[in-house]
Amino acid sequence: MAAETDNGWKFAQCFGDKGEVEDITEADIISTVEFDHTGDYLATGDKGGRVVLFERNDSKKGCEYKFYTEFQSHEPEFDYLKSLEIEEKINKIKWCKRQNAAHFLLSTNDKTVKLWKVFEKSLKVVAENNLSDGSRPQNGKIQHLRLPKLTHHDTIIAAVPRKVYANAHAYHINSISINSDGETYISADDLRINLWNLNISDQSFIFEEQEDPANKSFFSEIISSISDVKFSKDGRYILSRDYLTLKIWDISMENRPLKTINIHDHLRNKLCDLYENDCIFDKFECTFSGDGQNVLTGSYNNYFHIYDRDGLTDIALQADKSAFKAKRVVSTKSNKILRGKNNKKEEINVDAIDFNKKILHASWHPNENSIAVAATNNLFIFTE
């Protein structure tokens, strides 16, 4: 059992290898996490192009999951026209709302979006035929003709690609989002958003915003690039994340964000170093809680932060591999910070930050306070 922290959140479960970071195979690093619309299923994608699905374990109390299936979604490719290697890494996964017994989900690497159908398939074998009783034809003739009979042998989980949406992005795809109509979705790179119909794979509509040349500078373009954007469930608010800040927007007030939360203010003086080690290009995701009252995003040292929508409180949790140690079950180091006028955020020693440990990918359960967090090649589940 997991011990509860002082803010009510507790570690519930962890999937993955318990080896050290240095021993991890690059292909096993988790690159996206996504609950489905019910919260009964959870998907992860990794740098090896694989999609792994988990289903809720109803035999256990609380929010626990078990392995469901996995499949190879993308393979490495080579663009001969541009002499460019295209990695198989899964950038995003989005579930389509379930219409029947099958699951449909979108997965994308840098260039190609695929629509997958995942379903239970019955395997049948021949249980009876003309030779099953050991009899042989006499004079070339069969005395009693019997039609072969098939019987159920096993049930497997199959995954087949139904549509492939390719050749529509000049830059790397960093986000996909399915519309509430269940028929269209958008795919976005750094400069362009394409609107697709799920049933049409060879045509998309383009939205593009021209950049103001007056705002150009060496670092400002990079740190202001939006790495993720999410709607709240009621559609009234938009959550966006860039490298240094988390912004909450009211769709009725487009001239400025309703709230700006500084995530990495302590890194502003380190942008040169972060550019040199490529960390400035890290793309942190963000998400609303199911009720829209809280927001979540990741940081370094395997920390992630939960803020209330007004930005007054900051709960910091750490996805720690000590969860694997039998004598120490708790895998969270947590603190709660009140962001009032007289409360100062504790000083962070920038030189002590491990920039190789970072929480880029997380998903919030749609109906309860449960969170799935990817930390390198591990999937952590936290509940309140």
Side-chain angles (χ1 to χ4, degrees):
M1 58 181 290
E4 188 170 319
T5 63
D6 57 356
N7 52 52
W9 286 91
K10 60 181 180 291
F11 161 78
Q13 196 177 9
C14 182
F15 295 93
D17 188 4
K18 50 188 174 185
E20 295 301 320
V21 175
E22 294 77 14
D23 302 326
I24 294 170
T25 304
E26 182 79 7
D28 293 334
I29 295 177
I30 297 174
S31 52
T32 187
V33 181
E34 188 73 18
F35 279 108
D36 79 334
H37 296 85
T38 66
D40 292 335
Y41 292 88
L42 178 63
T44 66
D46 62 28
K47 288 191 174 183
R50 296 178 297 255
V51 172
V52 182
L53 304 184
F54 302 88
E55 65 174 337
R56 189 143 189 172
N57 192 350
D58 294 328
S59 65
K60 300 286 186 179
K61 292 182 179 180
C63 188
E64 286 199 20
Y65 291 82
K66 59 183 178 181
F67 175 81
Y68 184 61
T69 190
E70 75 170 81
F71 57 91
Q72 189 72 31
S73 175
H74 287 70
E75 301 282 355
E77 300 175 51
F78 190 80
D79 187 333
Y80 291 96
L81 293 176
K82 298 180 179 178
S83 296
L84 184 69
E85 291 185 2
I86 302 173
E87 293 182 345
E88 63 270 37
K89 185 189 84 163
I90 306 299
N91 291 344
K92 289 283 179 163
I93 295 172
K94 292 295 179 184
W95 295 81
C96 302
K97 285 192 175 179
R98 199 169 179 182
Q99 305 293 334
N100 49 43
H103 301 276
F104 287 88
L105 49 89
L106 289 172
S107 64
T108 183
N109 66 350
D110 285 342
K111 295 295 182 183
T112 303
V113 184
K114 294 184 179 181
L115 175 66
W116 288 90
K117 178 183 180 181
V118 181
F119 60 99
E120 293 187 358
K121 184 178 181 179
S122 175
L123 293 181
K124 295 183 178 181
V125 296
V126 177
E128 183 179 316
N129 58 37
N130 287 298
L131 303 178
S132 60
D133 57 1
S135 61
R136 298 285 179 181
Q138 298 178 0
N139 300 324
K141 296 181 180 180
I142 297 176
Q143 301 300 317
H144 302 287
L145 183 63
R146 293 179 295 181
L147 293 176
K149 289 185 179 180
L150 296 175
T151 59
H152 175 77
H153 173 67
D154 195 7
T155 299
I156 63 169
I157 309 298
V160 295
R162 297 303 302 270
K163 294 282 184 182
V164 177
Y165 314 89
N167 304 318
H169 285 273
Y171 299 92
H172 291 174
I173 300 170
N174 56 40
S175 183
I176 52 176
S177 182
I178 300 175
N179 200 349
S180 57
D181 60 14
E183 295 182 359
T184 58
Y185 77 92
I186 54 176
S187 59
D189 58 33
D190 287 342
L191 298 180
R192 191 166 71 181
I193 297 174
N194 290 351
L195 174 65
W196 302 83
N197 187 298
L198 279 167
N199 297 315
I200 304 172
S201 59
D202 59 356
Q203 182 182 7
S204 63
F205 303 92
I206 298 166
F207 299 83
E208 191 167 0
E209 182 181 7
Q210 299 299 322
E211 184 182 5
D212 184 357
N215 294 331
K216 276 197 171 184
S217 73
F218 189 75
F219 289 127
S220 63
E221 283 186 15
I222 302 173
I223 63 176
S224 63
S225 176
I226 295 175
S227 57
D228 196 19
V229 63
K230 295 284 173 59
F231 273 107
S232 60
K233 186 181 285 188
D234 59 11
R236 181 180 173 184
Y237 298 98
I238 294 175
L239 184 66
S240 67
R241 173 70 200 265
D242 56 41
Y243 187 69
L244 297 179
T245 67
L246 187 68
K247 294 182 175 69
I248 303 173
W249 304 76
D250 189 323
I251 62 170
S252 62
M253 188 177 70
E254 60 186 36
N255 60 328
R256 59 184 175 86
L258 197 65
K259 188 71 182 178
T260 299
I261 301 171
N262 293 316
I263 308 295
H264 289 156
D265 216 28
H266 53 283
L267 298 180
R268 287 188 183 274
N269 296 327
K270 286 281 188 179
L271 295 180
C272 235
D273 296 337
L274 294 166
Y275 179 80
E276 291 295 326
N277 62 20
D278 284 344
C279 285
I280 199 171
F281 301 104
D282 287 337
K283 294 186 180 297
F284 292 92
E285 296 177 358
C286 59
T287 183
F288 274 105
S289 60
D291 59 9
Q293 297 301 310
N294 295 281
V295 296
L296 178 150
T297 195
S299 184
Y300 293 107
N301 275 347
N302 276 1
Y303 274 96
F304 61 97
H305 296 264
I306 300 171
Y307 305 92
D308 70 291
R309 201 170 63 195
D310 296 324
L312 297 178
T313 59
D314 173 2
I315 297 175
L317 298 169
Q318 188 180 37
D320 189 352
K321 280 197 174 180
S322 62
F324 290 114
K325 297 178 182 178
K327 293 183 179 179
R328 185 184 172 194
V329 183
V330 182
S331 67
T332 61
K333 295 177 183 177
S334 61
N335 55 68
K336 187 171 184 178
I337 300 167
L338 297 177
R339 289 175 166 264
K341 292 181 180 178
N342 298 323
N343 292 285
K344 292 184 179 180
K345 192 170 182 178
E346 62 185 57
E347 291 296 323
I348 297 175
N349 184 357
V350 177
D351 296 325
I353 295 175
D354 187 344
F355 290 101
N356 292 317
K357 294 182 178 180
K358 46 200 165 190
I359 302 297
L360 301 177
H361 317 290
S363 183
W364 200 303
H365 192 290
N367 304 315
E368 60 188 54
N369 282 341
S370 298
I371 297 167
V373 177
T376 319
N377 67 329
N378 296 110
L379 177 67
F380 287 86
I381 309 292
F382 293 84
T383 62
E384 187 181 37

